Amino acid sequence: MAEDIKNKIEGLREEIRRHDHLYYVLSSPKLTDQQYDKLYAELKKLEEANPDLITPDSPTQRVSGKPVEGFGNIRHAAAMLSIDNTYNADELRDFDGRVKKALGDAPYKYVVELKIDGLAISLRYEKGLLVQAATRGDGQTGDDVTSNARTIKAIPLSLMDAASAPEILEVRGEIYMPKKSFADLNKHRGETGEPPFANPRNAAAGSLKLLDARVTATRNLAFFAYSIGQASAPLSDSHYKTLNALKEHNLPVNGNTKQAKDIEQVIKICKNWEKKKETLGYQIDGMVVKVDGFSEQDILGTTGRAPKWCISYKFPAEQAETIVESIEVQVGKTGILTPVANLKPVKLAGTTVKRASLHNFDQIKRLDLRELDTVIIEKAGEIIPQVIEVKKKERSLFESKPVEIPTNCPSCDSPTVVTVNKRKKTGADEEIDFTTVWCSNPNCNSILKERIAYFVGRGQMDIENFGPALIDQLVDKGLVKNFADLYSLDLFKIAPLERMAAKSAENIIAALEKSKTQDLWRLITGLGILNVGGQTAEILADEFMSLENLMAASVEKLESIDQVGPIIARSIYDYFRDPENIAIIEQMRKAGVHPTPPVEKRSAVLAGKTIVVTGTLESFTRTEIQQAIKDNGGKTSSSVSKKTDMVVVGANAGSKAEKAHKLGIEIISEEEFSELIASD
Ligand code: IVH
């Protein structure tokens, strides 16, 4: 029995690790979030009941502990060197000239990689287990950031094939923040507190060096491995093959890594990425070119600071100079006033930029930004660039005056309320002021318009045909005073609106009608509860199954939910204690809004299984059985290998069935397959 539980736990861990790898490394998730959460919850429950079976590499052990006072130092077993830079093709050719000369007539190849714009990390695996993570520091000694690095899902806590891995293996690579996570983080910081990060690199470094690993865990950091440091045995005799070996151990290696036969091919690859770097989901600041063979690398040696077998090709920074024509203030759905810079249009990274985010008034003060200033803007992973520098010397003293915090709302002219909070700068003792400017009028039309636009938006209730022009009219004419009023709209109210064809009016009413049974999590998101985005709403919907249950939940109950912290719990609780919110929800219910609770989306009986079908089938066509496998969470493959989990055999099956038999893979008949999928 004890053995059974142990096996069950280990099986679940394997399964979760595999899905983490599929999701975070291969970017091809095979489970819905609910299916994944179910596996995780099952493992957590079993481990809680059997705490002696918890191992440090269990997926439940990524985030642990309390904030630390500071980081310890780690001396790197092998120095973490830096790379010399080049900026054009001729400098790359010069580098190649030096390599050629040092290697005499011996042939050599290059490996060309993306230069990921993050921060270097050294991960130490002993007997296949992650035991230590250190930043580069000065190259000799770095910070011990083990607890923080463990929270990054792309970093395996144990190597895939611990038995075949060298006893000691230090993996070197780059921790980075994907562009999307960076944009979300800065948006959140702009809305709620601290100053924005200037670029994804700073954001990654700031997030990794937080004293509280639980916060690091929320930052969606990612990782690519690009070399090894100390290893008790080499993985191979060349860099390229070593990267492949790291991949076999489930370490994420960038898929755009290429071998090149000579420097001209290297240059072509570099130029090509310079053009298409915007298509990537993460920021790169250049390319890294490495001599492939380890014996060639040894001959070339290092200068002490940087290896002579490696060079970077740096892209020019994505910055531009322009003029701030005006600073406009926008009102958001929470009533917070946010400044935005209207710029003299300028070309930057292939697009024309007309606006820059300023995030909040503290940011303007920090930069001392004024209208008509000449500024440097930088596109750093965000779609909207940021002002990173003000050219104060070019400022005309006659025209320029500091930006004042608005005393009235730009939309409804009500007085504003200014709150100043002291916030501890993340990971440091230094305190900073955080000023929030609010419109004091809860019925401000701009706030209402933003709320309605959010409610009907794609990530929320997903109600079609609700453009800004329609929302403007509905609010301005007083037809909609809250989102429950949307459900009192009818053709008589909508059809007379400007630019409204009869057919469109009908479509709008139909879309509203359809949304009455929209998924529960979408309605929860649409309410716009502070700190509750789509992901949290899904967790809440799964937990409570109805809006009524969620409304009745105590703070303690809310806090007990995995991934719901005290701040989120409090804002949910407070939201549902506000009489106005309760009245709106009641009004929606009366109007027939009955959201659909979550259901098991898809049977997962074949979750994560790779299945080969062979022979002639009776009750399925090939397409049908492939679809059935997919529908039940499995994957099909055309050839049998060690990675195959199951083979379905029909009549006259040949060599594939034989091979499966030899490899000891489970073989089932078509009938058994039908029973299996029906059993779930
Ligand atoms: S190799 C001795 N490969 O760039 C060579 N570095 O400017 C060790 N970086 O400190 C580094 N992508 O943090 C290498 N594909 C890549 C890289 C990469 C980003 C970073 C790394 C290094 C810095 C040097």
Side-chain angles (χ1 to χ4, degrees):
M1 188 60 197
E3 209 41 37
D4 280 356
I5 292 178
K6 199 167 165 211
N7 286 341
K8 173 89 187 153
I9 286 182
E10 208 25 71
L12 281 165
R13 283 180 191 151
E14 273 309 307
E15 185 85 356
I16 292 171
R17 279 184 201 125
R18 220 169 48 76
H19 288 292
D20 279 344
H21 184 249
L22 282 164
Y23 188 101
Y24 293 100
V25 179
L26 304 178
S27 303
S28 63
K30 295 282 180 286
L31 293 186
T32 62
D33 288 354
Q34 286 97 330
Q35 288 169 333
Y36 179 89
D37 292 346
K38 209 169 138 192
L39 286 177
Y40 191 91
E42 199 178 342
L43 173 61
K44 191 122 194 197
K45 206 166 131 201
L46 281 175
E47 286 185 343
E48 269 161 15
N50 303 279
D52 48 320
L53 295 181
I54 298 178
T55 57
D57 66 332
S58 170
T60 59
Q61 302 301 303
R62 283 194 176 271
V63 189
S64 63
K66 299 231 157 6
V68 291
E69 297 279 319
F71 298 116
N73 284 336
I74 288 179
R75 204 171 166 78
H76 300 303
M80 290 183 78
L81 299 176
S82 76
I83 316 178
D84 286 331
N85 295 325
T86 63
Y87 297 90
N88 56 49
D90 279 342
E91 287 177 3
L92 277 177
R93 290 186 186 107
D94 291 347
F95 163 74
D96 182 55
R98 295 194 294 275
V99 170
K100 196 169 278 164
K101 193 164 163 216
L103 295 181
D105 278 338
Y108 57 93
K109 272 192 287 213
Y110 286 114
V111 176
V112 191
E113 296 168 15
L114 304 183
K115 189 167 185 306
I116 314 295
D117 202 5
L119 75 155
I121 191 93
S122 184
L123 305 172
R124 189 175 172 92
Y125 289 88
E126 289 179 5
K127 296 198 173 71
L129 274 191
L130 176 67
V131 293
Q132 205 172 64
T135 61
R136 179 170 180 273
D138 63 5
Q140 304 297 333
T141 310
D143 284 339
D144 179 352
V145 289
T146 313
S147 309
N148 304 45
R150 286 175 64 90
T151 69
I152 301 171
K153 298 262 181 72
I155 296 181
L157 297 179
S158 49
L159 297 176
M160 180 65 168
D161 186 1
S164 79
E167 176 113 1
I168 295 170
L169 181 66
E170 263 188 29
V171 179
R172 303 267 165 94
E174 198 83 351
I175 287 182
Y176 65 97
M177 186 178 281
K179 287 178 188 171
K180 168 85 172 62
S181 312
F182 171 71
D184 290 348
L185 175 64
N186 263 359
K187 183 162 174 272
H188 185 70
R189 285 167 78 88
E191 280 166 8
T192 63
E194 294 163 279
F197 286 109
N199 51 50
R201 179 177 8 94
N202 290 3
S207 302
L208 186 72
K209 292 184 186 168
L210 288 170
L211 296 171
D212 190 346
R214 291 169 299 185
V215 183
T216 308
T218 66
R219 294 285 174 89
N220 293 320
L221 294 174
F223 168 73
F224 281 126
Y226 53 57
S227 71
I228 54 175
Q230 194 198 23
S232 52
L235 292 178
S236 167
D237 60 355
S238 83
H239 178 62
Y240 194 73
K241 283 189 264 176
T242 299
L243 291 179
N244 281 335
L246 291 177
K247 243 190 274 180
E248 291 292 313
H249 280 302
N250 266 6
L251 283 151
V253 171
N254 192 283
N256 299 304
T257 302
K258 287 266 168 333
Q259 274 181 306
K261 65 177 191 321
D262 58 28
I263 201 70
E264 292 312 316
Q265 204 177 357
V266 168
I267 292 167
K268 227 174 165 174
I269 297 172
C270 290
K271 293 268 176 210
N272 190 21
W273 276 111
E274 187 166 353
K275 264 191 272 156
K276 31 174 233 196
K277 70 179 201 296
E278 291 301 317
T279 60
L280 294 164
Y282 42 87
Q283 188 149 311
I284 60 171
D285 60 339
M287 305 293 290
V288 180
V289 182
K290 298 171 183 171
V291 172
D292 192 17
F294 286 155
S295 45
E296 285 74 30
Q297 288 188 2
D298 286 343
I299 296 170
L300 285 153
T302 74
T303 62
R305 199 192 81 84
K308 291 196 230 170
W309 44 263
C310 177
I311 200 92
S312 81
Y313 171 81
K314 295 269 277 195
F315 300 149
E318 296 289 1
Q319 294 184 345
E321 191 177 295
T322 185
I323 291 169
V324 174
E325 291 183 329
S326 64
I327 294 174
E328 185 186 313
V329 177
Q330 293 180 342
V331 191
K333 70 176 194 300
T334 53
I336 295 176
L337 271 50
T338 314
V340 175
N342 288 317
L343 307 171
K344 180 162 175 248
V346 60
K347 277 251 181 226
L348 176 65
T351 54
T352 304
V353 176
K354 293 186 196 131
R355 288 155 86 76
S357 24
L358 296 170
H359 302 285
N360 53 50
F361 289 94
D362 295 317
Q363 177 75 356
I364 295 188
K365 206 160 132 196
R366 251 187 306 266
L367 292 163
D368 183 22
L369 177 71
R370 305 175 184 194
E371 285 188 338
L372 302 180
D373 270 347
T374 301
V375 293
I376 305 290
I377 56 166
E378 183 173 305
K379 212 171 192 182
E382 280 185 323
I383 297 161
I384 304 177
Q386 304 189 57
V387 174
I388 57 154
E389 192 193 325
V390 177
K391 298 232 153 176
K392 292 195 192 130
K393 283 197 188 124
E394 292 174 34
R395 181 180 279 170
S396 146
L397 286 173
F398 298 106
E399 292 171 70
S400 162
K401 53 179 192 323
V403 175
E404 306 246 338
I405 288 183
T407 52
N408 294 76
C409 170
S411 165
C412 70
D413 207 36
S414 305
T416 56
V417 175
V418 180
T419 54
V420 182
N421 290 316
K422 288 254 177 248
R423 297 236 172 157
K424 265 218 170 121
K425 218 168 157 179
T426 331
D429 282 335
E430 194 189 329
E431 287 210 324
I432 49 160
D433 277 350
F434 176 60
T435 314
T436 316
V437 186
W438 311 78
C439 168
S440 63
N441 171 14
N443 301 316
C444 169
N445 273 0
S446 282
I447 303 178
L448 186 53
K449 284 174 189 173
E450 291 291 328
R451 281 203 190 145
I452 303 284
Y454 182 74
F455 183 80
V456 301
R458 285 252 293 270
Q460 295 71 245
M461 291 293 273
D462 195 17
I463 308 177
E464 282 171 10
N465 307 312
F466 260 88
L470 173 62
I471 296 175
D472 278 353
Q473 291 191 69
L474 291 173
V475 173
D476 291 341
K477 290 194 183 347
L479 290 167
V480 169
K481 295 202 168 62
N482 60 51
F483 37 72
D485 287 343
L486 291 171
Y487 295 101
S488 322
L489 294 173
D490 54 28
L491 281 178
F492 295 106
K493 289 181 183 152
I494 292 190
L497 297 177
E498 273 167 43
R499 277 169 289 141
M500 179 64 65
K503 186 74 198 148
S504 316
E506 276 168 26
N507 288 344
I508 289 165
I509 298 298
L512 277 166
E513 196 54 37
K514 195 170 128 205
S515 79
K516 287 182 177 171
T517 52
Q518 184 57 284
D519 290 341
L520 175 61
W521 72 267
R522 289 182 167 276
L523 178 62
I524 299 173
T525 319
L527 297 177
I529 306 170
L530 209 60
N531 302 311
V532 177
Q535 222 175 337
T536 309
E538 283 193 55
I539 296 168
L540 294 171
D542 283 346
E543 180 70 31
F544 292 101
M545 302 301 280
S546 78
L547 200 55
E548 291 73 20
N549 290 346
L550 174 62
M551 289 173 81
S554 66
V555 175
E556 294 72 40
K557 169 71 199 160
L558 289 162
E559 259 188 63
S560 74
I561 300 165
D562 203 21
Q563 297 182 59
V564 176
I567 297 177
I568 303 180
R570 182 38 74 183
S571 62
I572 298 167
Y573 182 84
D574 287 349
Y575 182 92
F576 291 119
R577 298 298 163 291
D578 180 333
E580 208 169 315
N581 293 336
I582 299 174
I584 293 173
I585 291 167
E586 187 49 33
Q587 189 187 335
M588 279 202 284
R589 193 175 9 224
K590 282 199 182 130
V593 177
H594 296 299
T596 309
V599 278
E600 278 299 313
K601 288 232 159 86
R602 202 192 262 170
S603 147
V605 66
L606 302 177
K609 295 221 166 18
T610 301
I611 298 166
V612 174
V613 181
T614 180
T616 318
L617 304 179
E618 273 177 18
S619 46
F620 294 94
T621 65
R622 270 302 146 100
T623 326
E624 277 166 1
I625 194 163
Q626 278 166 356
Q627 189 59 45
I629 292 171
K630 217 167 122 205
D631 284 347
N632 287 281
K635 204 171 80 180
T636 49
S637 164
S638 56
S639 60
V640 176
S641 75
K642 273 193 282 184
K643 290 184 184 149
T644 312
D645 295 293
M646 190 184 276
V647 178
V648 183
V649 288
N652 306 319
S655 64
K656 286 185 195 175
E658 240 169 69
K659 189 163 176 199
H661 189 68
K662 256 191 222 150
L663 291 172
I665 294 164
E666 187 180 354
I667 299 175
I668 61 168
S669 68
E670 186 184 342
E671 226 167 58
E672 284 167 322
F673 175 82
S674 301
E675 276 167 25
L676 187 64
I677 56 171
S679 70
D680 198 79

